[in-house]
Amino acid sequence: MTLPAAAIDEWYPVAMAPDRPLRPDQETTLLGERVRVLLDGQEPRVEANDGRNLPVIVRHGHVWTSLGAPKHDLFAIPEGEQPGRRLVECGAIRVRCSPLRAVENFLDIAHFPFVHTDILGSEPHTEVNRYEVRIREEVDEVWATKVTFYQPQAAKSAQGGITTEYMYRVPHPTCSVLYKTCPPRPGEWDIITLFVQPLEEDLCQVWPWMALFDDQTPQADLIQFQQMIFLQDRSILENQIPRLLPLDPGMEMPTRADLTSVAYRRWLKKRGYHYGAQLVAA
Amino acid sequence: MRPTLYDYVLSPSCYKARLMAALVGSELESVAVDFHPGGDHRKPEFLMLNPAGTLPVLTHGGLILTETTAMLVYLVRLAGRCEWLGGEDPASAARVQQWLAFSARLTASLGLARLHDMLGRPADIDAARWAGTLCLRELESALVENRLLGEDFLAGNAPTVADVACFPYVMLAPDGGVSLDPYPAIRAWTRRIRALPGFVEMPGIHRLHDLRPEPGEAEAAA
Amino acid sequence: MASVCGTLEVAVWRSASGRVAAWVDRCPHRGMRLSHGFVRGEMLSCIYHGWRFDGAGRCRKIPAHPDLDPPETIRTQSLACLDAQGVIWIASEAPAVAPPDLGNVVPLRSLTFEAGIDAVAAMTGEVPDRSLLRLDAHGPVPPLVLLLQALGPGRSAVHALAAPTGTGALVAASRALEDFRRRTEAQGIAA
């Protein structure tokens, strides 16, 4: 299959950055092609199946590469550079689903009471209040703001239930950045990201990464909190039919709570990003 | 002083200890070990505690336990809830042991398939899934026979450590690409376990929402 | 629970009062399998966002919008479904004929075979007729009725019912079915 430029000329995460506990010389898959992540001293190098060297960026705790020639830089997360933040790489979790379904689920809050019960949501607090969504044309990103939800245990550092405020940002077809109320430091945002490496159209590897204000919680607990949340989603993601994300309306039925996903699907369609998507209702 | 569990949230074996403690109403101190991605269970400090480099580890005073089934027995006796050890007669006691040993086969098959599919660990995935399927068929048949005899659990009419030892890897079989759709008796058994008082979940095992009243209908139903 | 009807994946569920229903295994909202859902009273809710459907498949509640009365157009895709003689029967459209009379039998167990229904039928020496086979009594094993359901090209479900008898004979029948499965699957590997 020939891959469209929109998918080829894009940056994707393939490993954790080399200053983290990394197993060098790892083989992995990107868009159906085998690639190898090697270390030249401390410098990561990524090699394609045919031996050619692929472009590399080390940023946001991960090694990013591309099978093509990206015309743009990898997105920045300026708030992540603030002093005092704990940077937490969570490793990769593999999921048998479209990379786009993994991102869409990350943008969804209405599932919290049923999938992350008594942690990110609980009955009867199921209502999704009105929030704002727009595609910021100047940066070509999807943004959802003023998202609020009642959460019994919003973060590892949270003591009891709070109404949490969220902002979602989609700067990349398979990546999203979440800005979230920071329990120990009101006024600041915790940053939780989902970087998705598309292995195949219906198989992906998810690299959660966080930049938090939290001096108390041990690193292993922070990682495991995030892995716990993501693994609760995994059995959902592996059981959606069809596996590919339907971009045409008609196949699935959104409500007002799904405005972010509606904008995300429209944005993907506009960019011509169809890897992991289904265009015509089957 | 409470026992301390060296714990990894995604490990079904660690979950066995957490579940057992919850079912007998005990509390554990938990120390999170960065199994993935950190690999801390292979680092020198951890190997001082458990040279086998496996999780979980349970410590209490001077006692260090590294085998999960031993932890289940210890937690039950510590709580004085010996009914979880099964009947005293030779056959009942042996049936519990039979399933405790069987649980190791679940770990080696379904557990391996899950590590492969979820964390990308190397495995002969087809062989692991087929070995898991054979285990599930054995379990299904045993549960069918138990039901014919009027028994709801693996070693009789009450839950024991045997059920706790077998439940997690069975329930999480789909994580490794092995469906539970072909096993109605297993699914009914997992629902009975999930409905036990004190039951706690782990990621991949959802809350049995059926047991809670629908908001707004609570009083009407009661 | 999940099942299959021809090429359709199906969710089959039973309400608190005992009503059974069969739907295409897909929530109209985000495609989640409804067979993962939960049952409260007479309704089934999808595990993903809790959308709640009545026995006729109509959406009655969307928890994200508790005050909204969901439009009538939001519904699951229903199949014909019948609970009779201890068996749940499904069909993509209601058939004109009733299920066959199984005689005096009680449900024993259901097994999945890694073999197509023709291969299973061939092992019994019978030609499949309405996917219903009879196995004669053998030693302690009572006479059995086997209902065959195609799950895919090389897969089938065998739903076994037995003439009422003692527990020991039913256990023997359950073991005989496993033996039958091993022989059927071995035949497939040999062929």
Side-chain angles (χ1 to χ4, degrees), chain C residues 16-18 24 26 44 72 77 82 86 101 107 128 131 145 147 154 176 184 190:
Chain C
S17 71
V24 169
R26 202 177 163 273
L44 178 132
E72 205 182 332
Q77 204 178 321
L82 182 68
D101 182 4
S131 306
V145 169
L147 300 170
T184 306

Side-chain angles (χ1 to χ4, degrees), chain B residues 130 133 137-138 140-142 144-145 148-149 181-184 187 191 206-217, chain C residues 1-3 35 37-40 43 45 47 52 61 108-114 155 167 170-171 174-175 178 181 185:
Chain B
W130 182 244
T133 299
R137 285 180 172 190
E138 275 181 54
E140 170 80 7
S141 296
V144 166
E145 292 184 13
L148 288 170
L149 298 163
D181 290 348
Y183 311 104
R187 292 199 312 275
R191 290 179 74 84
H206 289 294
R207 180 78 51 91
L208 208 49
H209 293 295
D210 317 49
L211 299 177
R212 277 195 178 176
E214 181 72 17
E217 291 180 8
Chain C
M1 61 170 282
S3 190
S35 56
F38 53 95
V39 177
R40 287 176 182 163
M43 304 217 199
S45 302
I47 184 77
R52 200 164 185 233
K61 185 173 170 185
L108 178 60
R109 62 178 295 196
S110 298
L111 297 90
T112 298
F113 283 45
E114 299 301 327
R155 272 190 125 208
T167 302
L170 291 176
V171 168
S174 171
R175 297 203 166 189
E178 285 165 57
R181 174 165 65 186
E185 291 180 347

Side-chain angles (χ1 to χ4, degrees), chain A residues 101 104-105 108 110-112 114-115 123 126-129 235-242 246 251-258 261-262 265, chain C residues 9 25-36 38 40 45-51 61-68 71 73-75:
Chain A
R101 287 241 190 233
E104 186 177 81
N105 173 72
D108 181 88
H111 72 285
F112 289 171
F114 304 99
V115 179
E123 291 182 282
T126 54
E127 181 160 18
V128 175
N129 301 312
S235 68
I236 300 289
L237 291 169
E238 296 201 332
N239 285 289
Q240 282 177 277
I241 305 171
M251 184 86 186
E252 296 186 352
M253 204 169 284
T255 73
R256 181 160 51 72
D258 302 314
S261 114
V262 171
R265 292 183 185 199
Chain C
E9 297 188 76
D25 198 4
R26 202 177 163 273
C27 179
H29 177 220
R30 282 291 175 256
M32 180 63 199
R33 285 184 194 276
L34 290 166
S35 56
H36 288 234
F38 53 95
R40 287 176 182 163
S45 302
C46 176
I47 184 77
Y48 197 3
H49 299 93
W51 285 28
K61 185 173 170 185
I62 297 177
H65 310 295
D67 300 328
L68 177 82
T73 48
I74 305 185
R75 38 175 68 247

Side-chain angles (χ1 to χ4, degrees), chain B residues 49-133:
Chain B
L49 189 66
N50 177 13
T54 55
L55 283 169
V57 174
L58 188 83
T59 63
H60 197 202
L63 182 71
I64 302 176
L65 298 174
T66 60
E67 293 292 339
T68 313
T69 51
M71 296 174 206
L72 303 187
V73 172
Y74 183 69
L75 291 170
V76 163
R77 287 203 179 272
L78 196 64
R81 299 284 300 276
C82 292
E83 72 274 18
W84 281 92
L85 297 176
E88 300 268 333
D89 62 288
S92 298
R95 282 172 81 191
V96 171
Q97 292 300 322
Q98 172 88 5
W99 290 113
L100 290 177
F102 177 83
S103 69
R105 284 173 54 204
L106 295 171
T107 312
S109 55
L110 299 173
L112 180 64
R114 182 172 176 271
L115 280 177
H116 173 275
D117 279 14
M118 211 170 80
L119 302 183
R121 298 296 154 95
D124 179 344
I125 186 64
D126 292 335
R129 287 189 187 138
W130 182 244
T133 299

Side-chain angles (χ1 to χ4, degrees), chain C residues 8-180:
Chain C
L8 288 179
E9 297 188 76
V10 180
V12 183
W13 65 284
R14 188 187 290 281
S15 77
S17 71
R19 259 180 71 161
V20 293
W23 300 337
V24 169
D25 198 4
R26 202 177 163 273
C27 179
H29 177 220
R30 282 291 175 256
M32 180 63 199
R33 285 184 194 276
L34 290 166
S35 56
H36 288 234
F38 53 95
V39 177
R40 287 176 182 163
E42 297 306 299
M43 304 217 199
L44 178 132
S45 302
C46 176
I47 184 77
Y48 197 3
H49 299 93
W51 285 28
R52 200 164 185 233
F53 300 91
D54 67 18
R58 184 176 161 192
C59 182
R60 291 296 181 174
K61 185 173 170 185
I62 297 177
H65 310 295
D67 300 328
L68 177 82
D69 195 10
E72 205 182 332
T73 48
I74 305 185
R75 38 175 68 247
T76 63
Q77 204 178 321
S78 294
L79 284 81
C81 184
L82 182 68
D83 183 5
Q85 306 178 77
V87 177
I88 297 172
W89 310 78
I90 56 175
S92 48
E93 280 169 44
V97 291
D101 182 4
L102 303 179
N104 183 25
V105 287
V106 290
L108 178 60
R109 62 178 295 196
S110 298
L111 297 90
T112 298
F113 283 45
E114 299 301 327
I117 53 168
D118 291 341
V120 177
M123 278 302 283
T124 66
E126 286 198 43
V127 181
D129 171 28
R130 281 178 169 168
S131 306
L132 182 148
L133 307 169
R134 289 177 200 281
L135 286 188
D136 293 334
H138 264 297
V141 178
L144 296 176
V145 169
L146 306 185
L147 300 170
L148 269 52
Q149 178 192 10
L151 299 178
R155 272 190 125 208
S156 42
V158 174
H159 308 286
L161 300 94
T165 176
T167 302
L170 291 176
V171 168
S174 171
R175 297 203 166 189
L177 285 165
E178 285 165 57
D179 173 58
F180 177 58

